[in-house]
Amino acid sequence: MFAVAVAKSYNSPWAGTKMSLGHAVIESRYPADLLRLRRFFQHNAVQIVLSLIGGMVIIWLGINMFRARKEVAQGGKDLNTALSWPGL
């Protein structure tokens, strides 16, 4: 998020502020949701499944960033276009 804020700050001095406020609005509900679901998350099977899925997502994002580095560095493309979700 920091890297995108720095990249976007060249276009607008308010880019970081907008991103922070948007992030805060979206995540303001998470603590209450997690409190309601705490028994569910205490099960070992749930923790293992979430850990595996989270690890796979992080590896997938890292691979995509590694593959997109040439487009970003040489083509002058924005990170948003080089790292887009498949099918979007």
Side-chain angles (χ1 to χ4, degrees):
M1 193 165 159
F2 174 72
V4 174
V6 170
K8 294 295 183 184
S9 67
Y10 289 113
N11 298 331
S12 168
W14 295 101
T17 304
K18 289 178 185 178
M19 288 178 63
S20 296
L21 289 174
H23 193 78
V25 167
I26 297 297
E27 289 198 4
S28 64
R29 284 193 44 101
Y30 289 160
D33 292 342
L34 289 175
L35 283 175
R36 277 189 255 129
L37 294 170
R38 71 176 168 239
R39 283 189 186 151
F40 175 72
F41 288 119
Q42 288 175 347
H43 295 288
N44 285 336
V46 172
Q47 292 177 3
I48 290 170
V49 169
L50 289 176
S51 297
L52 290 173
I53 291 171
M56 288 188 291
V57 168
I58 289 173
I59 290 169
W60 178 72
L61 288 171
I63 290 169
N64 282 343
M65 288 177 68
F66 187 74
R67 288 180 179 167
R69 75 189 189 287
K70 282 186 180 177
E71 286 183 52
V72 173
Q74 293 174 353
K77 289 193 174 191
D78 193 6
L79 284 175
N80 292 338
T81 57
L83 297 174
S84 62
W85 287 96
L88 292 179

